[in-house]
Amino acid sequence: MPIEKYSKTGEFHKRSGLDNQDAILIKKNSQFCFYALADGVSSRKFSKEGAQIACDTAAELFMRSDRLLLNYEKQKAVYVLLDEILYNLKSLCSTNSADIKEYASTLMFVLVDKKSNIVYVLNLGDGMCFATLDETVYEISSADEQAEGCFVTTTENVNDYVFFEKYDAYKYDSFFMMSDGAWRTICDNGRIRELYKDIMVTQNTKKLKDIFEKEIIDDDCSFAFVDLSGLRAKGIL
């Protein structure tokens, strides 16, 4: 069985006495398979909690049995998601008087709709999403990095900078979502190193985990794996 999720605390956080700021959420029911990864901003006090809230909110909205957001145009769906995340974060701020920016995080998710055989991919921030098919690895969404840092859930008017697309569930064999600590480890000058390409196309997530365990990585390093070929083989798609 492939490993669906992995997260490792970066050396910077260890030296600083900080916990891993990444959050991963995987939820499955009769209608959907949902995989999310959010990277809390290290300099923010409650960013791990903010990352978890971003994942939980996305799952709650996009796994609705009435498929409400899936029937919206993508810009409206993104707006509703980010607005609800901000609402949930503001509710926390009202209890502890914290600045909402203290909960800042990135957010990525892959949602597999078993009924329609459609896969939805969302990415906000400096994470990356890759897909595999046969012997090839494709970059689905790239890291959105700015001079002053990446876009996050608490960035004002960030809606236009969110990647949100849908794909036929038979188009690819798998998806890999990676935090910046993970993709920076597997890439050299913006290209995936051959060793990691082989690992990804063979879906050897255990080997990927083992290599990450041995690597000295400053940032938190996390990935979530979506095995579409496995879902098809089980007759789920």
Side-chain angles (χ1 to χ4, degrees):
M1 286 286 293
I3 297 169
E4 289 189 313
K5 63 179 181 178
Y6 169 79
S7 191
K8 170 186 175 180
T9 304
E11 296 302 313
F12 171 77
H13 283 167
K14 289 181 181 178
R15 292 193 300 269
S16 304
L18 299 173
D19 294 330
N20 188 328
Q21 303 299 304
D22 293 351
I24 300 176
L25 177 67
I26 297 177
K27 295 185 73 173
K28 300 175 184 179
N29 60 26
S30 60
Q31 299 183 70
F32 302 105
C33 295
F34 178 86
Y35 310 76
L37 192 163
D39 182 353
V41 177
S42 297
S43 60
R44 297 300 182 176
K45 185 176 181 180
F46 302 116
S47 63
K48 175 60 178 282
E49 190 173 357
Q52 190 64 58
I53 288 170
C55 292
D56 290 341
T57 303
E60 180 180 349
L61 289 178
F62 280 89
M63 295 182 76
R64 285 175 55 134
S65 59
D66 62 6
R67 288 176 160 76
L68 180 64
L69 266 69
L70 301 183
N71 293 323
Y72 286 166
E73 293 182 356
K74 66 179 182 180
Q75 287 183 327
K76 183 176 180 180
V78 168
Y79 173 83
V80 171
L81 169 62
L82 295 178
D83 190 60
E84 186 69 11
I85 290 173
L86 288 176
Y87 175 83
N88 291 336
L89 295 180
K90 287 176 182 177
S91 297
L92 279 178
C93 294
S94 67
T95 63
N96 62 11
S97 300
D99 187 316
I100 195 170
K101 292 181 180 179
E102 296 300 321
Y103 291 93
S105 76
T106 66
L107 175 63
M108 284 188 290
F109 73 69
V110 173
L111 175 74
V112 182
D113 185 343
K114 302 176 189 178
K115 182 178 179 180
S116 65
N117 285 343
I118 296 294
V119 178
Y120 299 83
V121 179
L122 180 141
N123 189 12
L124 165 63
D126 60 3
M128 292 187 72
C129 182
F130 303 94
T132 68
L133 178 64
D134 299 328
E135 301 300 314
T136 305
V137 178
Y138 299 91
E139 181 183 307
I140 298 298
S141 65
S142 58
D144 200 340
E145 300 179 289
Q146 311 297 311
E148 65 278 10
C150 71
F151 294 117
V152 291
T153 52
T154 58
T155 303
E156 292 184 7
N157 303 315
V158 75
N159 302 51
D160 292 339
Y161 302 99
V162 178
F163 175 92
F164 186 47
E165 295 293 343
K166 61 182 180 180
Y167 304 88
D168 188 287
Y170 287 80
K171 182 176 178 68
Y172 297 111
D173 294 328
S174 67
F175 285 93
F176 286 82
M177 290 183 289
M178 295 193 180
S179 68
D180 62 325
W183 70 256
R184 292 182 197 279
T185 302
I186 72 169
C187 291
D188 187 13
N189 294 323
R191 295 185 177 182
I192 303 175
R193 287 184 269 169
E194 289 301 319
L195 167 65
Y196 292 102
K197 281 185 180 180
D198 292 340
I199 289 173
M200 293 169 74
V201 297
T202 57
Q203 303 183 6
N204 193 345
T205 52
K206 182 181 183 303
K207 186 172 183 180
L208 183 61
K209 170 184 176 291
D210 291 343
I211 291 176
F212 282 159
E213 283 290 304
K214 295 175 184 176
E215 289 273 2
I216 298 174
I217 305 170
D218 249 10
D219 201 357
D220 296 338
C221 175
S222 304
F223 71 78
F225 170 68
V226 184
D227 183 7
L228 292 177
S229 59
L231 293 175
R232 293 195 293 264
K234 294 175 183 178
I236 296 174
L237 294 175

